[in-house]
Amino acid sequence: MDKFLISGIQQVGVGTENFHKSWNWFIDMFGIDVKILEDDTVAERMLPYTGGQPQKRHACIAVNMQGGGGFEIWQYSERKPVPAKFAIAVGDLGVFAAKVKCRDVEKFHEQIKKKWNEVSDVATLPNGTKCFYIKDLYGNCFQLVEEKSVFIEQHKLTGGIYGAMVGVTDMKKSIAFYNHVLGYDTIMYDKTGTFDDWQMLEAADGKYRRVLLGTSAPRKGAFSGMFGDSTIELVQALERTPRKIFEGRYWGDPGFIQICFDVTNMQELGKFCAKQGFPFTVDSCPDGEVFDMGEASGHFTYIEDPDGTLIEFVETHKIPIVKKLNWNLDMRKRDREKQLPKILFWLMGLVSKQRPKA
């Protein structure tokens, strides 16, 4: 993996039925209040996952400057979003919960209970880490995980995305994929049984195997300081047949649509993934061109994990620092292994903090 870098989880995509309501909810609950980019155009390159037709959508990527991955909030503009026709349960195939950083679980739980009802009790993960769960306006489930690291102090109890819970059918194959392809080389726990922390989740009383994967060394890359550490929790149902979360639906429909990783040297990554048996299913720049993403530009691709969960890779070429001054950063002109200085993120946070207007 020395010819390319995977710098961490850039964002988790959240398909929604109402873009503005969802973003405002994420601001109120998790402090996801800094917009990195916003785009209201046609998704032309995702045809394998959008019924073979380009689809207009409204999307943004927003972050919490205390660190962690971002939220890509996503809604179809001209097509009515189609929710799942069944209650998404523990172990269903795909991302059934996203992990969010929380510096003090007990204190944040006390606060959140005062303004939202869909909240579980505080519990612990199999390794003793405190956590609880919350469901958003449209039933998407988030696991708040106690993780005390802070990138830029904002005096909040929460950060951004810390990982995801992914349903799988073959644990051995899935561990190999997330280890060899994505660099999650450490098993933090591997437990089988029933689990008390899942009290508010569907089908939680069954028998499951859950494996938490982490990394043995810090990630490298320009954005690695902001994204920080992350974990992937694989869950296999042992007493029922799991359903595919996006069965009969499109990418971008309500739910967690992908896990996105920030990368460097996409061409080499593509060769590596193909050799591992996971070739790109979508490539925004097959001929080496630059893909314009509204206020930013870069190169994105997709692969699928062994059960079809979508994994996105993004190589950023240009990002806005101060939009009003037309100050952009060209990532291709700097050492891609060197972390960006915090002052740049501080400036982005200063000028880009906002609440969306319908």
Side-chain angles (χ1 to χ4, degrees), residues 86-97 133 141 165-171 174 195 198 201-211 233-245 305 307 309:
F86 55 92
I88 296 170
V90 172
D92 279 344
L93 306 181
V95 177
F96 65 88
Y133 297 79
C141 188
M165 303 183 74
V166 182
V168 305
T169 57
D170 187 316
M171 189 61 77
S174 293
F195 300 95
W198 290 345
L201 307 185
E202 294 289 330
D205 55 351
K207 186 178 180 181
Y208 295 88
R209 181 181 176 190
R210 60 193 293 191
V211 177
E233 188 161 13
L234 306 177
V235 178
Q236 182 178 356
L238 301 177
E239 296 179 333
R240 68 179 187 87
T241 300
R243 300 190 66 170
K244 190 174 178 63
I245 291 172
D305 85 352
D307 292 291
T309 299

Side-chain angles (χ1 to χ4, degrees), residues 180-288:
H180 299 314
V181 179
L182 298 176
Y184 289 96
D185 60 355
T186 300
I187 294 178
M188 301 173 73
Y189 57 71
D190 182 348
K191 300 292 183 180
T192 298
T194 57
F195 300 95
D196 293 340
D197 61 303
W198 290 345
Q199 57 195 263
M200 75 178 296
L201 307 185
E202 294 289 330
D205 55 351
K207 186 178 180 181
Y208 295 88
R209 181 181 176 190
R210 60 193 293 191
V211 177
L212 184 68
L213 301 177
T215 53
S216 59
R219 301 275 192 178
K220 296 180 181 179
F223 302 99
S224 58
M226 171 68 181
F227 299 145
D229 293 335
S230 61
T231 61
I232 297 292
E233 188 161 13
L234 306 177
V235 178
Q236 182 178 356
L238 301 177
E239 296 179 333
R240 68 179 187 87
T241 300
R243 300 190 66 170
K244 190 174 178 63
I245 291 172
F246 276 86
E247 177 183 320
R249 300 191 296 143
Y250 289 176
W251 168 84
D253 274 331
F256 296 110
I257 58 181
Q258 84 254 328
I259 310 170
C260 175
F261 292 85
D262 183 84
V263 306
T264 299
N265 201 342
M266 188 73 79
Q267 299 296 333
E268 290 298 325
L269 175 60
K271 295 175 186 177
F272 176 81
C273 289
K275 287 181 180 179
Q276 299 295 315
F278 301 98
F280 292 161
T281 58
V282 170
D283 188 341
S284 69
C285 307
D287 300 315

Side-chain angles (χ1 to χ4, degrees), residues 95-119:
V95 177
F96 65 88
K99 295 174 179 280
V100 175
K101 291 174 63 174
C102 182
R103 67 201 298 181
D104 188 327
V105 159
E106 295 278 3
K107 190 172 182 179
F108 184 62
H109 183 264
E110 182 181 344
Q111 289 184 4
I112 209 77
K113 287 279 286 183
K114 295 177 182 178
K115 57 182 179 181
W116 193 249
N117 292 326
E118 292 290 314
V119 181

Side-chain angles (χ1 to χ4, degrees), residues 316-328:
T316 303
H317 294 158
K318 181 188 75 173
I319 56 170
I321 302 298
V322 181
K323 185 180 177 182
K324 291 181 179 179
L325 300 178
N326 197 30
W327 180 16
N328 302 307

